[in-house]
């Protein structure tokens, strides 16, 4: 009965893993019955109603007289009351209050006439279903329906004290209601666990997707910084070498040598980055990320590509209070700003200046050039987006735009290691 009543709520799960073979067998059978009842509830309702109707009519054939205070009640009345106590089970799940009201009225007739029918206890099935599905505050109505027949029978046919006639039956109904509440609590708890597990799976998948997206963004940013900068340097060297080939062959040879060196460095960094993605963690080839100590080499490479760059570091403490991540951010911002100058600055012979000023609690980085434009039109290239993303990681500020006097400036302000955000 309990297995059949749980036809609503969360889908039942297979909790039989690790259980003994007999328990697994029983749970599988119960699960099949529940699934069948969920698909065709009317079949179970008809079977339950037919079974208890047959049992009630069997009792009405003569067995009711063994417990009845008045064995002379007409048989037609006993049969009618028996049918009224059993047939409403057919709609006990769709209209429980109506079914219980009809059964309570039949029980009232049975107790009042002196035919104490065993079919009156079928009301417990309806009470159990109501406790299983309906709100707890509505359980007071079943009590108000089943109590009047008991009181009428105790008054009309007194046999002993009233507590012997009423209290045991009331306790039986209360225990059935408590059983329904317990089954519902367990069902709700199981449904909550299933829903929590489902949410955890969804959150795990979302976290995995977010982590993959963040990793893709980081890799794209690194590849853009590495490849974009080196290709810009190579382009500048190639243009300078082509210009110098006719007038100064030795300068052209120097340009070709620098192109080869820069190309090999770019390929090496690209192989290392792809190796980290492809190889296992213990086998991947690694190298330290650039720091502020590598700025001089960066500026030298840009100078070799034909862009005059002046590097000015002011009030640098020793040791530097910037973490490795902050130093990498400063390096990449300077690298991207100089790369944009190489690619986009026009107007004669542009120059660039890089100033790192250490102040109280922050470092101020300015990259200024004298060209006519330093970013793609609209200022929304991948390089500028990457600089803003790197800056946001450490709650810094980034400003990029043209200067009133001409040229372009990128300004980065970043908190020092021990400074609050």
């Amino acid at each position: 009965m309990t297995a059949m009543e749980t036809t609503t709520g969360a889908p039942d799960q297979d909790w039989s893993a690790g259980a003994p073979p007999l328990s697994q067998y029983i749970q599988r059978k119960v699960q099949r019955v529940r699934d069948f009842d969920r698909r065709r509830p009317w079949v179970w309702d008809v079977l339950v109603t037919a079974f208890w109707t047959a049992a009630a009519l069997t009792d009405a054939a003569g067995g009711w007289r063994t417990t009845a205070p008045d064995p002379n009640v007409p048989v037609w009345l006993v049969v009618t009351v028996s049918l009224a106590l059993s047939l409403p089970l057919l709609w006990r799940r769709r209209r429980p209050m109506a079914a219980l009201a009809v059964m309570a009225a039949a029980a009232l007739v049975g107790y009042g006439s002196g035919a104490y029918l065993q079919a009156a206890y079928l009301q417990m099935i309806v009470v159990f279903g109501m406790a299983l599905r309906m709100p707890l505050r509505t359980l007071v109505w079943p009590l108000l329906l089943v109590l009047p027949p008991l009181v009428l029978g105790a008054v009309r046919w007194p046999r002993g004290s009233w507590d012997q006639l009423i209290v045991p039956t009331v306790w039986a109904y209360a225990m059935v209601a408590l059983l329904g509440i317990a089954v519902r609590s367990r069902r709700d708890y199981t449904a909550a666990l299933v829903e929590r597990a489902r949410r955890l799976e969804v959150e795990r998948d979302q976290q995995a997707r977010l982590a993959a997206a963040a990793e893709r963004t980081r890799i794209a940013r690194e590849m853009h910084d590495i490849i974009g900068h080196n290709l810009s340097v190579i382009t500048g060297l190639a243009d300078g070498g082509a210009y110098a080939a006719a007038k100064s062959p030795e300068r052209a040879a120097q340009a070709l040598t620098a192109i080869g060196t820069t190309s090999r460095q770019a390929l090496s960094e690209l192989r290392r980055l792809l190796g980290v993605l492809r190889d296992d963690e213990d086998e991947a080839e690694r190298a330290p990320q650039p720091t502020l100590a590598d700025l001089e080499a960066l500026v030298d490479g840009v100078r070799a590509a034909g862009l005059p760059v002046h590097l000015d570091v002011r009030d640098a403490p020793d040791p530097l209070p910037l973490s490795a991540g902050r130093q990498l951010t400063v390096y990449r911002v300077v690298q991207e700003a100089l790369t944009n100058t190489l690619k986009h600055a026009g107007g004669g012979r542009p120059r660039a200046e890089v100033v790192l000023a250490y102040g109280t609690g922050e470092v101020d980085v300015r990259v200024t050039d004298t060209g006519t434009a330093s970013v793609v039109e609209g200022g929304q290239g991948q390089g500028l987006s990457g600089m803003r993303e790197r800056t946001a990681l450490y709650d810094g500020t980034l400003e990029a735009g043209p200067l009133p006097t001409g040229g372009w400036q990128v300004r980065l302000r970043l908190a020092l290691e021990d400074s609050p955000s």
Side-chain angles (χ1 to χ4, degrees), residues 341 345-346 350-351 367-374 401-410:
T341 301
R351 303 176 60 86
V367 182
T368 309
D369 65 64
T370 60
T372 58
S374 291
L403 295 173
T405 58
W408 193 274
Q409 183 181 80
V410 175

Side-chain angles (χ1 to χ4, degrees), residues 307-364:
L307 177 66
V309 181
H310 175 66
L311 177 62
D312 185 10
V313 181
R314 302 173 183 174
D315 303 326
D318 188 19
L320 293 178
L322 290 171
S323 65
R326 286 177 168 83
Q327 292 189 46
L328 177 62
T329 298
V330 174
Y331 180 91
R332 292 302 189 195
V333 168
V334 172
Q335 181 187 53
E336 182 60 30
L338 294 177
T339 300
N340 286 336
T341 301
L342 280 171
K343 291 192 295 184
H344 305 295
R349 292 179 55 84
R351 303 176 60 86
E353 182 181 25
V354 180
V355 178
L356 272 72
Y358 291 87
T360 304
E362 70 173 12
V363 59
D364 189 351

Side-chain angles (χ1 to χ4, degrees), residues 18-38:
L22 179 60
S23 299
Q24 293 181 3
Y25 176 79
I26 294 175
Q27 290 175 12
R28 284 195 298 268
K29 294 300 182 182
V30 170
Q31 184 66 39
R32 290 180 181 177
V33 174
R34 286 177 175 175
D35 294 339
F36 179 82
D37 182 53
R38 189 178 296 109

Side-chain angles (χ1 to χ4, degrees), residues 106-275:
L108 191 66
V109 174
Y111 278 93
S113 64
Y116 277 27
L117 301 178
Q118 301 293 328
Y121 292 107
L122 294 178
Q123 298 174 91
M124 293 185 178
I125 299 177
V126 183
V127 172
F128 176 82
M130 296 176 67
L132 190 64
R133 298 184 184 87
M134 299 179 64
L136 296 181
R137 63 178 180 274
T138 62
L139 294 182
V140 66
W141 297 108
L143 176 63
L144 296 178
L145 288 175
V146 301
L147 193 59
L150 299 177
V151 175
L152 177 62
V155 174
R156 181 80 170 78
W157 309 98
R159 293 185 301 176
S161 61
W162 65 272
D163 57 329
Q164 294 177 344
L165 299 176
I166 298 177
V167 173
T169 305
V170 172
W171 270 112
Y173 281 104
M175 293 302 296
V176 169
L178 290 176
L179 178 61
I181 294 172
V183 172
R184 181 173 66 177
S185 300
R186 182 184 178 276
R187 183 192 62 188
D188 294 343
Y189 177 72
T190 303
L193 290 179
V194 172
E195 178 62 20
R196 182 172 179 233
R198 187 192 66 79
R199 287 200 306 267
L200 289 175
E201 289 181 359
V202 172
E203 292 176 1
R204 180 196 62 193
D205 295 340
Q206 290 177 345
Q207 291 295 332
R209 287 193 295 268
L210 290 175
E215 186 65 12
R216 285 196 299 268
T217 301
R218 185 184 68 83
I219 294 169
R221 188 167 56 232
E222 290 294 329
M223 293 185 68
H224 175 273
D225 292 342
I226 294 171
I227 299 176
H229 172 74
N230 286 286
L231 286 179
S232 297
V233 172
I234 292 171
T235 301
L237 290 171
D239 292 341
Y243 177 78
K247 298 182 179 180
S248 180
E250 67 277 2
R251 296 293 299 274
Q254 293 175 2
L256 292 174
T257 302
I259 289 174
T261 302
T262 305
S263 300
R264 284 189 292 272
Q265 291 176 352
L267 287 175
S268 177
E269 293 184 16
L270 183 58
R271 287 195 188 98
R272 186 178 298 111
L273 180 60
L274 295 177

